[in-house]
Amino acid sequence: MSRTFASKVSSRRLKWVILVCWLVLAALAAPLAGGLTDQQDNDIASWLPGDAESTVALERQIALGSDPDVVPAVLVYERQAGLTAADTEAVAEDARAFARLDALDGTVVGPIPSEDGQALQLVVPINPGSGGWEAIAPIVDDMRAVAADGPDGLAAYVTGPAGNAADSSEAFAGLDSTLLLAALGVVVLILLLTYRSPLLWILPIFSAVIALFCAQAVVYLLARYADLTVNAQSASILTVLVVGAGTDYALLLVARYREELRLHADRHEAMTEAVHRAGPAVLASGGTVILGMLCLLAADMNSTRGLGPVAAIGVGVALLVLLTLLPAMLIICGRWVFWPVRPTFGSAEPSATGLWSRVGAAIKPRPRAVWLVTCALLLAASFGLFGLNAKGLTAAESFRGTPESIRGDAVAVEHFPAAAGNPVHVLTSAATADDVAAAVATAAGIASVEEPQVIAGDALIEAELADAPDSQAAYATVERLRSALDDVGDGEALVGGNTALNLDVQTASQRDNQVIIPLIMLVVLAVLAVLLRALVAPLLLIGTVVLSYGAALGLSALIFDWLVGVESTDSSFPLFVFVFLVALGIDYNIFLMTRVREESFDHGTRRAALVGLAATGGVITSAGLVLAATFAVLATLPLTFTTQLGIAVALGVLLDTIVVRSVLVTALTLDVGRWMWWPSRLAHRLDEPEVPPTGRAESVPVPAPRQEGSEPSISPSAGRSPGPRGP
């Protein structure tokens, strides 16, 4: 980063201007950030692949006059000892009450008795309007209250698509504030342990909160005026990402500033040097995340595509805040903010003899053996991938726990056709309606078919599935039906409905995995090549992060099976984990290797590897703990997908910081040596002699202190040279 920019944000006068500007922006952004929830689009179209057959079928239904906001609520009443006349009358009374609902859009169907005489069923089509699933929840709550007021011993459940949507809405209720408070809580705890200061943690947290408000405000404006798609999932990830990544960048800057305070008598000079030296690594890390997130724009899934710009905006705003506001506040506060361990001018740098210096010394004698063993262990952990079933979650598996809609589904399956309330919708022309209906009726897996509804030149055919709508058997039925209808009539019939939608989501997610994962790898490789001005180091770093990704998924699969109790994952799960682990996990390698490259000009690559590990080990470990803890907060939510995502990302980040960065990358650098920088001219910089000329025991170089405006001193042990920093 240019020294001009670094000097501006560290200016004696501009620091106050920067602080006031950000406070004003935050005050303006806070009301907009609070309105982001109202701009969330949780309708089904915000999640669907845009050109999937089920999506096209849904659009055709809308053109025929069907309202896409109509959602069936299935009410199931059960008395295992057998229904009584009073039960039947009570359910009939409920049906009449539901017929008076303001949200009713159609006709109440039922009561429908089960063949075993133990259950009754109502199907109530409700229309929550444009409010999506948030508007469904209060309607379903009212229906549950009505249904519960029946004879003693008669169990009542509201299930079906409306019941599932209401329970999902309640799972996300208050999510943003809960996530923010939980994430801030764990970050504060880790910062207290890291800095051992009762004051310093306030500045990174304050900066992260300012960044979050501003990012949410930008996303709000784009969602309202530029049609940016934002749903509950992307809004939740935005909170975790800004707090976690923003605090990570703050840790790196604060660590370098504290190091420079020992070398400069004036704190403004120290901050200028810190921003100048740490800025490129922070920008490269943030830029990698931003570019990686923007790769999601190539996704078929609307929900995945919408997450890309939302996450990119969050990281971009966090970068801007952390490189301007945080330096200004640190300078304004002065050295006392580090109390009780203030970094005084001329004091020794503790990292020179710290834990990571000793780790480097342990790796140095046998680097090849260390990286070979580490790779073998990570590969062994990756074998758990064979137990990862990323073919989608059933409705029951989607929740941690068993909400009413899931209990009702189980009761409905026991007494009624498995897919009641979830019909398959077949759209065709009026001329071919009879032929298509006949073909649907004879298809395996179809329980019953309704008469075609002909409107103008088009026809809608509804068919009930013989299996549960979210089962693999139901998905197979939809695939068979689509294949069979290709040869019926004009071959243009479309198969839609909830089961078809879920099947198309899985297909689109698998396509996104195959396209976006290689794309992100190419983007990250390009960023590393430009940053490190080399090819060998970026290829090795990409390899280590991918290996870490495989190990994280493999270990996560075992955890899901043993602890969570769900072997399956959402079909988009591998992509989301890859995006966060590679885009964020590469940060730690960037932090380390930019420092190693910086020191290589003075000491040669092998010596620089030890210096870089010693200097960055503590802060990178702390940053990894912060990011892992913030993502682990997702595991506290009552949804299986967020739980699995939080576990996998947290585990992967810990592997990156503790194993990959500190052990594997350091060992590879020591083994490969200066050829890490091939083809740049740094590859020809010879290493320092193994034994210092004095014959004394080797130690990590410690930069010599200097007065304000002075050049660094030159000595065999100097950690920084006054000469140029390379090309």
Side-chain angles (χ1 to χ4, degrees), residues 296-309:
L296 296 179
L297 290 172
D300 274 352
M301 287 289 296
N302 287 346
S303 57
T304 304
R305 190 186 309 121
L307 174 62

Side-chain angles (χ1 to χ4, degrees), residues 66 68 213 236 312 336 338 513-514 517 540 542 609 635 702:
S66 297
F213 284 167
S236 303
W336 64 266
F338 290 92
N513 294 344
Q514 296 168 0
I517 287 177
L540 290 177
I542 284 289
V702 180

Side-chain angles (χ1 to χ4, degrees), residues 69-421:
D69 293 326
V70 175
V71 183
V74 179
L75 290 95
V76 183
Y77 300 81
E78 180 192 40
R79 186 185 293 274
Q80 293 184 350
L83 295 169
T84 65
D87 294 337
T88 303
E89 176 56 31
V91 175
E93 178 60 31
D94 286 353
R96 291 189 288 271
F98 297 143
R100 297 190 294 270
L101 284 174
D102 292 337
L104 183 71
D105 193 326
T107 304
V108 176
V109 179
I112 304 170
S114 63
E115 293 183 359
D116 59 13
Q118 296 179 354
L120 290 167
Q121 186 179 77
L122 297 174
V123 179
V124 184
I126 60 176
N127 189 340
S130 59
W133 65 7
E134 290 91 349
I136 289 179
I139 299 172
V140 170
D141 287 343
D142 291 342
M143 296 178 70
R144 284 172 172 164
V146 171
D149 189 20
D152 291 341
L154 180 66
Y157 309 90
V158 179
T159 182
N164 291 150
D167 288 335
S168 295
S169 174
E170 291 177 0
F172 277 102
L175 179 62
D176 292 340
S177 58
T178 301
L179 273 180
L180 178 59
L181 293 175
L184 290 178
V186 297
V187 169
V188 167
L189 178 61
I190 293 174
L191 291 181
L192 282 170
L193 296 175
T194 300
Y195 291 136
R196 297 181 178 85
S197 168
L199 303 171
L200 183 57
W201 64 270
I202 297 174
L203 300 186
I205 290 295
F206 182 75
S207 300
V209 171
I210 295 293
L212 179 61
F213 284 167
C214 292
Q216 289 176 330
V218 173
V219 171
Y220 167 85
L221 292 173
L222 292 177
R224 182 168 182 177
Y225 299 108
D227 294 328
L228 176 66
T229 299
V230 184
N231 53 38
Q233 176 178 280
S234 57
S236 303
I237 291 175
L238 174 66
T239 300
V240 171
L241 187 60
V242 172
V243 173
T247 309
D248 262 14
Y249 302 146
L251 282 166
L252 180 68
L253 181 63
V254 171
R256 192 61 185 253
Y257 174 54
R258 183 164 52 182
E259 183 179 332
E260 296 297 336
L261 284 174
R262 303 180 190 278
L263 306 176
H264 295 80
D266 183 81
R267 64 181 186 272
H268 299 83
E269 288 291 327
M271 182 57 75
T272 298
E273 192 70 15
V275 173
H276 175 60
R277 297 293 184 187
V282 173
L283 278 179
S285 300
T288 302
V289 178
I290 291 171
L291 292 175
M293 295 302 172
L294 291 179
C295 288
L296 296 179
L297 290 172
D300 274 352
M301 287 289 296
N302 287 346
S303 57
T304 304
R305 190 186 309 121
L307 174 62
V310 170
I313 289 167
V315 175
V317 173
L319 273 178
L320 188 58
V321 171
L322 269 299
L323 288 175
T324 55
L325 176 61
L326 182 60
M329 291 193 300
L330 285 168
I331 295 172
I332 290 171
C333 291
R335 295 175 188 261
W336 64 266
V337 78
F338 290 92
W339 182 86
V341 186
R342 296 175 58 204
T344 57
F345 173 63
S347 60
E349 174 57 46
S351 65
T353 56
L355 169 64
W356 296 108
S357 176
R358 296 193 296 273
V359 169
I363 297 173
K364 181 183 175 182
R366 295 171 295 277
R368 185 167 301 174
V370 170
W371 71 256
L372 284 173
V373 170
T374 305
C375 285
L377 292 174
L378 292 174
L379 281 173
S382 300
F383 279 106
L385 278 169
F386 292 108
L388 188 69
N389 178 15
K391 294 184 178 180
L393 297 166
T394 65
E397 291 172 337
S398 297
F399 295 94
R400 293 175 58 199
T402 311
E404 180 176 320
S405 63
I406 302 304
R407 298 196 303 272
D409 278 340
V411 174
V413 168
E414 183 178 352
H415 299 288
F416 297 96

Side-chain angles (χ1 to χ4, degrees), residues 490-504:
D490 57 9
E492 299 296 325
L494 300 172
V495 178
N498 286 336
T499 300
L501 288 171
N502 290 334
L503 174 62
D504 289 341

Side-chain angles (χ1 to χ4, degrees), residues 35 153 317 372 405 408 501 541-542 553 563 594 596 601 622 645 689 723:
V317 173
L372 284 173
S405 63
L501 288 171
L541 293 179
I542 284 289
L553 280 187
L563 299 182
T594 51
V596 172
F601 287 97
S622 299
L645 182 64

